[in-house]
């Protein structure tokens, strides 16, 4: 029975397309299942290493103080935040945190390789003192984590923020490295399941049913010869075993690569640690085997022998329901586009947007099928007058089998639309980041905020560049008070006398960005640069040019107490936006994967249908005297619908973006539009070439017969 199945696969026309479809579907299924394992492995490894380096704090009456620990955040010029841990051993019995081989000396720092590489242009190796080495992989949540251990030059004894600890290895501490921005694992599992596993399942069903008419005739024949259900299943499995096995092997290749080396994830700025995957190697093997089993099970279940009376072959739907869907689709899209602007509450606006989008996608296939029927009839009529055989045959076939073309077009359109909706909502969530970015672009690096837990020092003030103006800031007394030298206050358009209240609107524009428009300023004149009078200050350039932020940060770490910070305006919001962008990168990554899987699956299904129709059109090659006519058939039946689907998908994406873009809280992505058009164009060209070549070869094997 297995040999019969293998022979049927090799001898049937169009078998190559189903072979590729089954291999691709199984590979996609294997990739989705191994991705689920990789998510669990990555989360487990990150939490395990974060817990191993988390401090064991000294509680009342529990434990002995062996070291002092202070956790802070800093940023590079790219606004991506990273964690800085200030460590100071106070006993020879103090144990090292994971990833360190020895305690750094006072004034030395140990950085992660990713931080050292990303901050090379800013001389990050000198920011916290002398560079004493790099953190080992066992001390990092992920290979791409930016992390630093610093032993400050000044003692942390008496520093209120520093916490006494007696070791490492506790519950994973929030705020430490990558664990700070980690989303719940169930969100990632749902993302992989919805964006990758579901499209892989759809492709598996399509591949299993591809060429079902010929297989049903073969099963009917062997049943008449006395084959039992077990025999029929063996025939079907014999046909599908090889392509499914090759697909499972191909789908497991990314997992094998991930077990051998660290793999960076595109769009998400995350590096998957190879030891994490190696620790779950058995589960990866189970996932690969399970993908093969599921693919073969789908092939066996979806090709059971049924009598004609109980057959479930798709039939034409009700005309009334189809006409209703054709009219409902534009109404849903209008409701999704204009309804939110008429809704009285934010909740109702979101509800109209979601319902309109889902309703539009649900009824879109009927509308596109009707459009394909009309276009096919018009194309056939025009081609009849122009005497074009390719367009004539394609038009007649499209009009008669509009559902096949509609499935191909809808798969691409809906995939682009859903990916675009995810991008729009993520950009909407990043609105505060855009506002902070606008403030940063307005003032640049000409304004810095400086905070120190023990106040500013005279050494720090003396180490500043000549164009820098240091103004102490105090908001603790109910009003904003600025203290500085007379020449600095004058440069900021403030009066050079004490106890004077000035509206901030009359001061330097940069102060309005820092303090807001509605506050008043009280000024205090000092003879020298203010130091020791406040734990917060503003640092402004005298001529409005950018300050050397990296140099000033090095100065602050050398001259101020541990835990002091120097930051530009809005950097906290921008850094949070980078985190949000990285998290949305996972949606984009899996969304693009799912889109490609779904589009390729439906494209192969459409190509199989085209080849089935192409065999019926084989005599056309004899009448035309050449077989190039099949490339014309492929262009009209495959290339044109895929190109049209890309354009329609971009239009639907732009249309649904109207209510979110209109209020200025979201923006479309031109790169996503170009990517959608580019992918659809490449996919269409590949299908056109493969479909035309396969149909031409099939026509070359055609011989006249009695039918």
């Amino acid at each position: 029975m297995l040999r019969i199945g293998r022979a049927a696969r090799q001898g049937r026309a169009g078998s190559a397309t189903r072979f590729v479809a089954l291999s691709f579907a199984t590979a996609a299924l294997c990739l989705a299942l191994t991705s689920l394992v990789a998510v669990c492995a990555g989360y487990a490894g990150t939490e395990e290493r974060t817990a191993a380096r988390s401090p064991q704090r000294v509680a009342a009456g529990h434990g002995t103080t062996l070291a002092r620990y202070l956790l802070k955040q800093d940023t590079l010029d790219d606004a991506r935040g990273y964690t800085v841990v200030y460590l100071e051993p106070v006993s020879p019995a103090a144990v090292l945190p994971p990833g360190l081989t020895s305690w750094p000396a006072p004034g030395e720092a140990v950085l992660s390789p990713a931080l050292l590489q990303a901050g090379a242009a800013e001389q990050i190796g000198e920011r916290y003192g002398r560079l004493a080495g790099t953190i080992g992989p066992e001390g990092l949540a992920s290979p791409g984590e930016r992390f630093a251990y610093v032993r400050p030059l000044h003692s942390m004894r008496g520093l209120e923020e520093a916490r006494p600890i007696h070791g490492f290895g506790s519950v994973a501490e929030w705020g430490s490295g990558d664990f700070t921005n980690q989303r719940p694992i169930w969100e990632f599992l749902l993302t992989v399941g919805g964006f990758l596993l579901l499209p892989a399942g759809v492709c598996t069903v399509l591949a299993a049913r591809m060429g079902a008419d010929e297989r049903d005739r073969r099963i009917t024949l062997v049943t008449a010869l006395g084959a039992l259900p077990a025999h029929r299943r063996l025939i079907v499995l014999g046909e599908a075993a090889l392509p499914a096995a090759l697909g499972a092997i191909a789908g497991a290749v990314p997992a094998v690569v991930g077990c051998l080396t660290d793999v960076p994830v595109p769009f998400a700025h995350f590096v998957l640690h190879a030891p994490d995957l190696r620790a779950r190697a058995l589960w990866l093997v189970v996932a690969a085997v399970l993908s093969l089993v599921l693919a073969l099970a789908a092939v066996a279940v979806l090709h059971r022998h049924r009598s004609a009376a109980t057959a479930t072959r798709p039939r034409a739907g009700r005309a009334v329901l189809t006409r209703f869907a054709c009219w409902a689709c534009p109404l849903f899209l209008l409701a999704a586009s204009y309804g939110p602007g008429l809704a009285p509450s934010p909740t109702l606006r979101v509800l109209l947007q979601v319902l309109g989008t889902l309703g539009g996608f649900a009824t879109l296939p009927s509308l596109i099928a009707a459009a394909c029927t009309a276009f096919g009839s018009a194309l056939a009529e025009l081609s009849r007058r122009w005497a074009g055989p390719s367009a004539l045959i394609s038009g007649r076939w499209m009009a008669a089998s509009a559902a096949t073309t509609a499935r191909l077009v809808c798969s691409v359109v809906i995939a682009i639309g859903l990916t675009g909706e995810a991008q729009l909502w993520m950009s909407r969530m990043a609105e505060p980041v855009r506002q902070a970015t606008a403030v940063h672009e307005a003032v640049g690096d000409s304004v810095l905020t400086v905070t120190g837990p023990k106040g500013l020092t005279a050494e720090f003030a003396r180490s500043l560049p000549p164009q820098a103006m240091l103004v102490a800031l105090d908001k603790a007394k109910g009003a904003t008070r600025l203290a500085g030298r007379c020449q600095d206050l004058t440069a900021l358009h403030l009066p050079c006398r004490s106890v004077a209240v000035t509206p901030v609107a009359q001061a330097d524009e940069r102060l309005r960005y820092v303090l807001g428009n509605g506050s008043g300023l009280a000024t205090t004149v000092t003879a020298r640069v203010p130091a020791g009078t406040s734990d917060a200050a503003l640092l402004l350039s005298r001529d409005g040019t950018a300050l050397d932020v990296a140099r000033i940060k090095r100065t602050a770490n050398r001259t101020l107490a541990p835990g002091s910070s120097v930051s530009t305006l809005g950097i906290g919001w921008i850094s949070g936006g980078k985190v949000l962008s990285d998290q949305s990168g996972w949606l984009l990554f899996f969304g693009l994967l799912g889109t490609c899987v779904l589009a390729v699956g439906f494209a192969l299904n459409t190509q199989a249908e085209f080849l089935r129709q192409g065999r019926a059109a084989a005599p056309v090659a004899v009448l035309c005297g050449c077989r190039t006519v099949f490339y014309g058939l492929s262009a009209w039946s495959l290339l044109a619908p895929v190109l049209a689907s890309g354009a329609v998908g971009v239009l639907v994406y732009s249309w649904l973006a109207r209510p979110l873009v209109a209020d200025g809280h979201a923006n479309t992505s031109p790169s996503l539009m170009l990517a959608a058009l580019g992918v659809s164009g490449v996919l269409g060209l590949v299908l056109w070439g493969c479909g035309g070549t396969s149909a031409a070869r099939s026509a070359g094997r055609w011989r006249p017969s009695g039918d």
Side-chain angles (χ1 to χ4, degrees), residues 9 26 64 86 103 131 137 155 192 260 271 281 308 373 388 395 439 486 517 534 548 561 579 591 650 653 677 694-695:
R9 182 190 70 240
T26 310
T64 304
Y86 292 89
W103 285 103
L131 182 63
S155 174
V192 177
L260 298 177
V271 179
T373 301
V439 172
C486 182
N517 288 321
S534 175
D548 190 347
V579 173
V650 170
Y653 161 58
L677 294 175
S694 300

Side-chain angles (χ1 to χ4, degrees), residues 374-384 386 390-392 394-395 398 636:
F375 178 77
S377 300
L379 179 63
E381 181 63 24
L382 292 175
S383 301
R384 184 181 62 82
W386 295 340
S390 299
L392 176 63
S394 298
M398 189 180 299
W636 284 107

Side-chain angles (χ1 to χ4, degrees), residues 311-338:
T312 58
R313 191 169 300 284
R315 297 180 177 86
R318 297 179 180 177
V320 176
L321 184 61
T322 302
R323 286 197 298 269
F324 169 77
C326 291
W327 285 103
C329 182
L331 295 179
F332 277 121
L333 293 179
L334 286 173
S337 181
Y338 291 100

Side-chain angles (χ1 to χ4, degrees), residues 677-701:
L677 294 175
V679 169
S680 61
V682 172
L683 180 62
L685 289 174
V686 171
L687 289 177
W688 167 71
C690 294
T693 302
S694 300
R697 289 177 179 176
S698 177
R701 294 190 297 266

Side-chain angles (χ1 to χ4, degrees), residues 454-501:
K454 287 190 174 182
L456 307 182
T457 63
E459 183 182 2
F460 172 73
R462 288 194 301 269
S463 302
L464 294 175
Q467 77 272 21
M469 300 181 295
L470 184 65
V471 181
L473 181 65
D474 186 7
K475 293 185 178 181
K477 299 179 181 180
T480 302
R481 181 175 297 275
L482 297 179
R485 296 181 300 176
C486 182
Q487 57 184 356
D488 295 338
L489 295 177
T490 302
L492 297 175
H493 309 299
L494 293 173
C496 184
R497 59 182 183 274
S498 301
V499 200
V501 178

Side-chain angles (χ1 to χ4, degrees), residues 472-549:
L473 181 65
D474 186 7
K475 293 185 178 181
K477 299 179 181 180
T480 302
R481 181 175 297 275
L482 297 179
R485 296 181 300 176
C486 182
Q487 57 184 356
D488 295 338
L489 295 177
T490 302
L492 297 175
H493 309 299
L494 293 173
C496 184
R497 59 182 183 274
S498 301
V499 200
V501 178
T502 303
V504 71
Q506 299 179 10
D508 190 287
E509 182 182 14
R510 292 173 291 179
L511 294 179
R512 297 201 294 271
Y513 284 110
V514 178
L515 306 173
N517 288 321
S519 59
L521 300 177
T523 57
T524 299
V525 179
T526 60
R528 295 185 301 272
V529 175
T533 59
S534 175
D535 58 358
L538 296 178
L539 199 59
L540 305 95
S541 64
R542 193 175 305 276
D543 52 2
T545 57
L547 296 169
D548 190 347
V549 181

